[in-house]
Amino acid sequence: MAQAAVRTGLSPQDYLTLERSSPLRHEYADGEIFAMVGGTLEHSAVATNVLGELRSALRGRGCRVLTSDMRIKIAAARRYVYPDGAVVCSRPEFEDDQRDTLLNPRVVVEVLSDSSEAYDRGDKFAQYRSLPSLDEYVLASQKAPRIEVFTRQEDGSWLLRIHGPGERAELSSLGCTLDVDRVYQDVFDQGATGEAPPAAR
């Protein structure tokens, strides 16, 4: 979500020390920190539903579905971020023994908002792509039933597939799918997206 720069000139270690003692969450970008702000009802509902569907699909398969509480380090970009969700399937690797900064997500989920959409699609995605462990990047709209999945190809390029109502978004790195209708069930008020809400199943 939208953020405001609140402090500059911090080293990564200074940031972690500050963050671990702060009641608020901040992201870090090469010396600057940005306060995280709250999201809309739709944003929260979509994020919760995506993670719930992933948890159900991956139950008993050795993968962990993580909420926005889990911080991720992007070392190549000197960044620490809080995605809306993440999945790790191999042994989790952490910054240190605090186990609160993940290094190796396989999948990252972001729910798009007006203030963050350009960043999530542009610079932030470029930064995520530098994570060797990342195989898929999932973007979910908070305005309409739409899930976009970027999948890393063997040659290092990324393939985009867009899924709408009545479709299932395949996450090949996890061997599962996201049912778009289920993800968006009960998210919108009637007419809020300019169309009828997805049919319940």
Side-chain angles (χ1 to χ4, degrees), residues 72-94:
I72 291 176
K73 179 181 181 180
I74 308 175
R78 285 176 51 87
R79 292 192 65 94
Y80 293 85
V81 298
Y82 291 92
D84 290 309
V87 179
V88 59
C89 293
S90 57
R91 179 173 180 156
E93 299 173 8
F94 297 100

Side-chain angles (χ1 to χ4, degrees), residues 104-123:
N104 63 328
R106 178 177 293 182
V107 173
V108 166
V109 177
E110 296 284 5
V111 178
L112 300 173
S113 65
D114 289 340
S115 59
S116 70
E117 181 167 356
Y119 173 52
D120 288 340
R121 293 185 181 281
D123 288 348

